[in-house]
Amino acid sequence: MPHAENGSKVQPTVNGEKSSSHFIAHVTSYPAVADSLDAIENNPYGKKGIELATEGYNKVVAPVVPYAQRPYGYVAPYVQKADELADGGLTRVDNTFPIVKQDTEKIKGTILDLAFMPLRMANQGKDYLLSTYGNEYKKCGGNGYMAGGKAVITTGLVVTSDSLSWLAEYLNQKKEEGKEFAKEKKDAAKEKTGN
């Protein structure tokens, strides 16, 4: 895994044995997963849970493993294929969502940034409206209901004007992109037909 850390403390192990699973190795190479496993291993309750699970494995499962070797031989190719498919799925996740390969703190920061974006946008909109209203109120000159009423109307006009100019700029940009795309397609069609 290209994003696996060479100096990572967490090694992919299953019941105390090094895992041959590419899927488990891939999952544990993600910094967020490795940090979570470190946190569990360093927590007293997590340590106790790991100890109990290991003890249960050693007492219940380990004595039966030798008897399961022959039946496992029949299903081993299917298990290996499932492991390959799962690892391929994770590779697709890596390519689609490259943030999973980032540091845990960066992932948390990005998630918080996205979560608070609506509040941030609402505050920016509120600040814009209040500053526009304040400017228009000063331009109307004076205190009172008339100046306030004029400021409300002119604020609405200014906001509408700003919104329409932004929209016109956006549409012009998309129009130019559309022209370029159409020209590229037209040129490609000409090349294809040999004209």
Side-chain angles (χ1 to χ4, degrees), residues 91-155:
T91 302
R92 228 175 291 135
V93 167
D94 291 348
N95 295 334
T96 307
F97 306 105
I99 193 169
V100 298
K101 298 181 262 183
Q102 299 294 325
D103 186 42
T104 306
E105 291 303 317
K106 182 170 182 177
I107 293 172
K108 284 176 18 181
T110 303
I111 290 171
L112 288 175
D113 189 40
L114 289 173
F116 289 114
M117 187 176 66
L119 292 175
R120 202 172 44 257
M121 296 296 288
N123 280 333
Q124 288 174 353
K126 179 191 75 162
D127 293 343
Y128 168 73
L129 283 174
L130 291 177
S131 68
T132 304
Y133 175 78
N135 292 339
E136 294 303 317
Y137 189 76
K138 288 177 188 174
K139 287 179 186 176
C140 289
N143 296 327
Y145 295 117
M146 289 302 284
K150 286 180 188 177
V152 166
I153 292 170
T154 56
T155 298

Side-chain angles (χ1 to χ4, degrees), residues 11 81 143:
Q11 296 297 322
K81 182 65 176 176
N143 296 327

Side-chain angles (χ1 to χ4, degrees), residues 6-7 23-25 27 31 33 45 47 52 58 69 92 104 114 127 129-130 138 155 160 163:
N6 293 337
F23 173 76
I24 291 174
V27 167
V33 174
Y45 297 113
K47 280 183 184 177
L52 290 174
N58 290 337
Q69 290 299 327
R92 228 175 291 135
T104 306
L114 289 173
D127 293 343
L129 283 174
L130 291 177
K138 288 177 188 174
T155 298
T160 302
S163 299

Side-chain angles (χ1 to χ4, degrees), residues 25 32 35 40 70 78 82 88-89 102-103 105 107 113 136 170 172 184 190 192:
D35 290 348
I40 290 170
R70 186 167 181 209
Y78 301 108
Q102 299 294 325
D103 186 42
E105 291 303 317
I107 293 172
D113 189 40
E136 294 303 317
Y170 177 77
N172 282 334
E184 289 173 7
K190 281 183 180 180
K192 202 176 212 182

